């Protein structure tokens, strides 16, 4: 058995793959690299977790020195506590290969650079921070010079535009890379507050016994952003809220929130548990969807005249399994809303007979609020007696701020690159789960109907505000 075969066998069995000897970063001069990736790589260097060469590939007339200057400017613009020595270490690891991705000579120069800086027979991680239309082109170029043989491929979202295109894209990549060596990024899986959902559920007997249809009346998931599309109008107009955050980020949150316990904490068991859950989710019923578009969106640069792209969506999902049958899941996401927040509210059923009045009529049901952004934490909304002679129940929030109690967390892209370099697939999306996510949202993709207008700074179309 070759080293590559052994690595594939280990990964398929749930063990981490080989650690990378070199990181190849396609799109090193792009916005994603500047804003997210390069600052994340700096943090890894600062902690001593990144010591291998980083070979950037881009269509540019820069040289390596110019790229190193760009790395310094990007890191200093993104972070306010940059240590000069750590930044110099990162810059010293960086090298540039310039050229068009469709030019075979570019990949010849890349192969030379990999062998020069990392040596022959090294394991490479190829990270594609480029548009999905280039994924197949890059994979073909890598294969043409043999750089696919002992490596893994990491690709950014979106992985396709619908179920069929996701499968087509996967077929392009699997001509050269086995499935276990394709890591599909959803940076939400690298968010520690999202991982907290699993720990809260499966490490606390306080919660898990009530986490089912017997005790839960409904679930609400909100991802609100207080900013508009800004300079990203051209990109956003081709995507919309459903593709941008619902199909990937929010369905991943839903899976963590509602799946059964995995057999172990190994990556393949977590992916299996997600798959069992997502397969039980019905496709979205268009009759249970509200699509909105903030007033002024069509004036943004890059947005098509008369665009029907939604900047807001509210929908209801139904899970047809024993744990969640009859419990609606309401998802809401949008831009230009009053504030930026990602949270989950689990509303518990009321007692069979309420013995007490509330401050304003009947007391509200118990709720568990799980905040994922901006301040991760949990709040239990419970009822207690109001002081005085009457038995009046009033709601009290009992909260824990995780970061205040536990300290700062690593940024999502730090986790993404930690795992990509180490070969740990736990925080990446598996194809069958992506296929299920596309199936679920399929009925509301490209509907072409006019979205309802809403005023920026409000909670969406007026009849759907809550």
């Amino acid at each position: 058995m070759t080293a590559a075969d052994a690595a594939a066998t280990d990964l398929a069995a749930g063990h981490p793959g080989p650690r990378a000897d070199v990181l190849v970063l396609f799109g090193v001069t792009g916005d994603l690299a500047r804003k997210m990736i390069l600052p994340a790589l700096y943090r890894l260097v600062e902690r001593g977790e990144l010591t291998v060469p980083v070979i950037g590939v881009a269509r540019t007339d820069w040289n390596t020195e110019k790229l190193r200057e760009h790395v310094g400017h990007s890191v200093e613009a993104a972070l306010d506590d940059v240590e000069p020595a750590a930044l110099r270490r990162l810059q010293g690891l960086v090298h540039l290969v310039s050229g068009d991705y469709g030019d075979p000579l570019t990949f010849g120069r890349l192969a030379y650079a990999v062998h020069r800086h990392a040596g022959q027979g090294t394991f490479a991680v190829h990270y594609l921070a480029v548009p999905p239309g280039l994924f197949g082109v890059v994979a073909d170029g890598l294969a043409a010079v043999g750089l696919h043989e002992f490596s893994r491929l990491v690709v950014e979202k979106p992985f396709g535009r619908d179920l069929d295109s996701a499968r087509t894209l996967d077929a392009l990549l699997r001509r050269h890379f086995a499935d276990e060596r394709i890591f599909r990024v959803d940076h939400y899986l690298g968010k520690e507050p999202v991982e907290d959902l699993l720990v809260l559920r499966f490490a606390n007997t306080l919660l898990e016994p009530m986490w089912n249809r017997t005790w839960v009346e409904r679930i609400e998931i909100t991802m609100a952003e207080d900013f508009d599309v800004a300079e990203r109008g051209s990109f956003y107009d081709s995507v919309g809220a459903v593709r941008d955050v619902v199909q990937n980020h929010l369905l991943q949150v839903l899976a963590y929130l509602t799946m059964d316990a995995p057999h172990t904490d190994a990556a393949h068991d977590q992916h299996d548990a997600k798959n069992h859950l997502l397969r039980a989710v019905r496709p979205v019923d268009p009759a249970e969807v509200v699509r909105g578009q903030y007033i002024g969106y069509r004036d943004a640069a890059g947005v098509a005249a008369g665009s029907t792209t939604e900047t807001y969506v509210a929908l209801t999902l139904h899970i047809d399994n024993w744990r969640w049958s009859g419990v609606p899941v309401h998802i809401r996401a949008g831009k230009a809303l009053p504030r930026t927040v990602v949270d989950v509210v689990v509303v518990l059923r009321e007692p069979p007979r309420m013995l007490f009045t509330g401050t304003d009529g009947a007391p509200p049901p118990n709720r568990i609020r799980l905040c994922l952004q901006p301040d991760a934490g949990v709040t239990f909304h419970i009822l207690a007696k109001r002081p005085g002679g009457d038995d009046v129940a009033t709601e009290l929030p009992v909260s824990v701020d995780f970061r205040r109690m536990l300290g700062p967390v690593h940024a999502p892209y730090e986790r993404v690159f930690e795992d990509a370099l180490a070969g740990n697939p736990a925080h990446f999306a598996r194809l069958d789960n992506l296929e299920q996510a596309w199936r679920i949202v399929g009925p509301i993709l490209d509907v072409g109907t006019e979205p309802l207008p809403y005023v920026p700074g409000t909670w969406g179309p007026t009849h759907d505000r809550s």
Side-chain angles (χ1 to χ4, degrees):
M1 179 181 291
T2 67
D5 291 337
T9 301
D10 285 344
L11 194 55
H15 305 303
R19 187 161 189 90
D21 302 302
V22 60
L23 170 63
V24 179
L25 177 54
F26 289 86
V28 68
T29 60
D31 282 346
L32 179 62
R34 175 173 58 86
K35 295 177 181 178
M36 299 291 182
I37 293 176
L38 295 176
L41 296 183
Y42 165 80
R43 290 298 190 199
L44 297 187
V45 168
E46 185 182 43
R47 296 197 296 266
E49 297 172 8
L50 175 61
T51 58
V52 301
V54 178
I55 301 176
V57 186
R59 184 178 180 178
T60 179
D61 58 0
W62 293 0
N63 56 23
T64 291
E65 288 307 312
K66 177 66 174 177
L67 177 59
R68 289 174 175 174
E69 290 179 16
H70 174 73
V71 169
H73 295 324
S74 300
V75 171
E76 289 171 341
L79 305 173
D80 56 10
D81 59 346
V82 177
E83 178 187 326
L87 181 55
R88 286 194 297 271
R89 291 199 300 274
L90 172 60
Q91 291 171 310
L93 294 175
V94 171
H95 309 274
L96 177 66
V97 172
S98 61
D100 190 281
Y101 300 141
D103 184 353
L105 295 178
T106 301
F107 291 89
R109 290 192 295 271
L110 175 59
Y112 173 79
V114 168
H115 299 150
R116 176 187 175 192
H117 297 294
Q120 297 281 349
T122 56
F123 191 90
V125 167
H126 303 295
Y127 196 105
L128 276 57
V130 297
L134 293 174
F135 290 174
V137 174
V138 172
D140 288 346
L142 292 171
V145 295
L147 288 178
H148 67 303
E149 293 178 346
F150 195 42
S151 65
R152 72 180 60 96
L153 191 70
V154 185
V155 296
E156 277 283 346
K157 80 170 187 76
F159 198 83
R161 289 183 52 80
D162 52 25
L163 180 57
D164 288 343
S165 61
R167 287 172 171 166
T168 299
L169 178 57
D170 184 67
L172 290 175
L173 301 184
R174 292 183 67 170
R175 288 186 303 186
H176 310 300
F177 293 86
D179 183 63
E180 64 272 6
R181 291 196 289 119
I182 303 172
F183 282 22
R184 304 167 187 87
V185 173
D186 183 338
H187 75 271
Y188 250 59
L189 296 176
K191 282 181 175 283
E192 291 200 40
V194 174
E195 279 193 287
D196 282 339
L197 295 175
L198 292 183
V199 178
L200 281 170
R201 288 192 54 204
F202 300 125
N204 294 291
T205 52
L206 173 69
L207 293 180
E208 181 56 22
M210 69 173 67
W211 219 254
N212 55 64
R213 61 187 172 84
T214 302
W215 304 106
V216 175
E217 190 271 328
R218 69 182 184 274
I219 297 172
E220 302 168 357
I221 303 174
T222 297
M223 181 178 180
E225 296 171 325
D226 64 3
F227 49 88
D228 59 23
V229 298
E231 73 278 3
R232 299 175 71 238
S234 179
F235 163 78
Y236 195 89
D237 205 41
S238 67
V239 179
V242 174
R243 285 189 173 96
D244 192 38
V245 298
V246 175
Q247 180 271 338
N248 39 68
H249 301 334
L250 297 186
L251 288 185
Q252 293 288 353
V253 170
L254 171 69
Y256 274 149
L257 189 68
T258 58
M259 71 188 197
D260 287 335
H263 297 308
T264 71
D265 65 352
H268 67 287
D269 282 335
Q270 287 195 29
H271 289 153
D272 286 348
K274 286 183 187 179
N275 188 255
H276 292 154
L277 182 282
L278 291 171
R279 286 167 54 194
V281 180
R282 294 180 209 164
V284 180
D285 182 350
E288 295 185 291
V289 177
V290 174
R291 297 170 66 251
Q293 185 186 94
Y294 69 79
I295 297 171
Y297 168 74
R298 295 177 183 177
D299 298 327
V303 173
S307 171
T308 59
T309 296
E310 76 283 349
T311 62
Y312 170 95
V313 64
L315 56 89
T316 299
L317 294 177
H318 303 276
I319 305 172
D320 293 326
N321 63 14
W322 276 80
R323 182 188 284 265
W324 296 113
S325 179
V327 178
V329 180
H330 304 297
I331 292 179
R332 173 173 58 179
K335 290 188 176 295
L337 301 183
R339 60 196 180 103
T340 295
V341 65
V342 181
D343 71 8
V344 173
V345 178
V346 178
V347 181
L348 303 183
R349 297 191 183 278
E350 296 182 354
R353 182 168 179 266
M354 183 55 71
L355 302 177
F356 314 104
T357 60
T359 306
D360 299 306
N366 292 149
R367 291 171 293 141
I368 303 172
R369 180 181 295 272
L370 305 164
C371 187
L372 308 182
Q373 184 182 323
D375 300 313
V378 59
T379 300
F380 297 89
H381 294 268
I382 63 174
L383 299 176
K385 180 184 177 300
R386 187 179 68 182
D390 298 326
D391 289 336
V392 176
T394 188
E395 189 176 56
L396 292 178
V398 180
S399 299
V400 176
D401 184 319
F402 292 163
R403 303 292 73 84
R404 184 175 299 173
M405 299 298 295
L406 301 174
V409 301
H410 294 174
Y413 271 94
E414 295 174 43
R415 307 289 305 285
V416 167
F417 275 90
E418 283 179 301
D419 290 347
L421 293 168
N424 181 4
H427 302 124
F428 295 86
R430 199 170 69 184
L431 179 65
D432 56 350
N433 292 334
L434 288 173
E435 290 177 329
Q436 291 300 324
W438 283 122
R439 175 190 63 80
I440 292 166
V441 302
I444 58 171
L445 296 176
D446 303 319
V447 292
T449 57
E450 190 75 13
L452 298 174
Y454 64 96
V455 176
T458 65
W459 284 108
T462 53
H463 78 281
D464 187 60
R465 292 181 192 170
S466 58

